[in-house]
Amino acid sequence: MEDTNIKNIRFPVETDQQLIKLAEKLGRTKLTVFKQMTEYFYRSRKDPLDFNDDLLKNTIVKGHQNLTGFIKVQEQTLLMPMKQDIDRMIGSQKKILECFNKQILEHNRQSEQQLSALQNQLTASQQSKEQLKSRFVFLLDSYAKAGTVGKEELLRKIKEQIKSL
């Protein structure tokens, strides 16, 4: 078997201590941590000197722009037509309500007029009935004054019957 670990890297003791702490924290060997760091920087194409991580910022900005574009497309294709349809529906409902209210108010006004006319007729007929009773009683009184004693009993009975009409 051939040893694949044939390369050496020389670095300061302080860096070695940092690498040991990092390896212990992650629960790996120094060699594994070193290989993983190398693989990470190779795959992500990140520069270890770039602490601001411009690639990550660019990725986030690009994702934000994609989301914003998606939202704008959804707004144009879904939300705006939906809002227009709702506005038209509200307008139609208002027109229907106005027509309905106009017809109901007209019907109520006509019904009120008819009821008022019927009430006037009933009042008039009630008054004419009372007038007829009073005239009839007056006639009987006049007849009774002209008559005899036996007629008084007859007159009293007739008056009672007239009043009960």
Side-chain angles (χ1 to χ4, degrees), residues 145-160:
K145 287 178 185 177
T148 62
V149 177
K151 290 182 182 178
E152 285 186 28
E153 182 63 28
L154 177 64
L155 178 64
R156 187 183 59 77
K157 287 181 183 179
I158 291 174
K159 282 183 182 181
E160 287 177 12

Side-chain angles (χ1 to χ4, degrees), residues 70-127:
F70 175 76
I71 290 171
K72 286 182 179 180
V73 167
Q74 295 301 311
E75 180 181 35
Q76 292 297 319
T77 58
L78 295 176
L79 296 177
M80 294 303 289
M82 191 182 304
K83 183 187 178 305
Q84 291 170 350
D85 289 344
I86 289 172
D87 289 343
R88 282 194 296 260
M89 184 179 67
I90 289 172
S92 298
Q93 292 296 322
K94 284 181 180 179
K95 287 179 183 177
I96 290 170
L97 187 61
E98 287 173 6
C99 289
F100 182 74
N101 284 340
K102 182 180 176 184
Q103 290 176 357
I104 292 296
L105 290 175
E106 179 63 26
H107 180 266
N108 287 347
R109 188 183 57 76
Q110 289 175 356
S111 296
E112 184 181 2
Q113 288 175 350
Q114 290 173 352
L115 287 174
S116 178
L118 286 173
Q119 185 179 14
N120 290 339
Q121 286 177 353
L122 285 174
T123 304
S125 68
Q126 186 69 25
Q127 289 174 352

Side-chain angles (χ1 to χ4, degrees), residues 14-158:
E14 184 180 304
T15 305
D16 184 51
Q17 289 174 350
Q18 288 176 338
L19 186 59
I20 290 171
K21 285 181 185 178
L22 185 61
E24 286 175 357
K25 181 179 175 184
L26 296 174
R28 302 176 191 138
T29 64
K30 286 191 319 184
L31 181 61
T32 305
V33 170
F34 179 76
K35 285 180 182 179
Q36 289 173 343
M37 285 190 310
T38 305
E39 183 70 21
Y40 172 77
F41 287 118
Y42 180 77
R43 284 188 180 181
S44 67
R45 296 185 181 108
K46 292 184 182 179
D47 183 0
L49 292 177
D50 185 12
F51 290 110
N52 292 329
D53 201 2
D54 285 334
L55 184 63
L56 180 60
K57 284 182 185 176
N58 291 340
T59 305
I60 291 173
V61 167
K62 189 184 254 186
H64 184 330
Q65 288 173 343
N66 288 343
L67 284 174
T68 303
F70 175 76
I71 290 171
K72 286 182 179 180
V73 167
Q74 295 301 311
E75 180 181 35
Q76 292 297 319
T77 58
L78 295 176
L79 296 177
M80 294 303 289
M82 191 182 304
K83 183 187 178 305
Q84 291 170 350
D85 289 344
I86 289 172
D87 289 343
R88 282 194 296 260
M89 184 179 67
I90 289 172
S92 298
Q93 292 296 322
K94 284 181 180 179
K95 287 179 183 177
I96 290 170
L97 187 61
E98 287 173 6
C99 289
F100 182 74
N101 284 340
K102 182 180 176 184
Q103 290 176 357
I104 292 296
L105 290 175
E106 179 63 26
H107 180 266
N108 287 347
R109 188 183 57 76
Q110 289 175 356
S111 296
E112 184 181 2
Q113 288 175 350
Q114 290 173 352
L115 287 174
S116 178
L118 286 173
Q119 185 179 14
N120 290 339
Q121 286 177 353
L122 285 174
T123 304
S125 68
Q126 186 69 25
Q127 289 174 352
S128 65
K129 185 177 178 183
E130 290 299 320
Q131 287 174 350
L132 280 174
K133 284 181 184 181
S134 64
R135 285 181 187 165
F136 192 69
V137 168
F138 175 75
L139 289 173
L140 278 177
D141 281 341
S142 299
Y143 176 73
K145 287 178 185 177
T148 62
V149 177
K151 290 182 182 178
E152 285 186 28
E153 182 63 28
L154 177 64
L155 178 64
R156 187 183 59 77
K157 287 181 183 179
I158 291 174

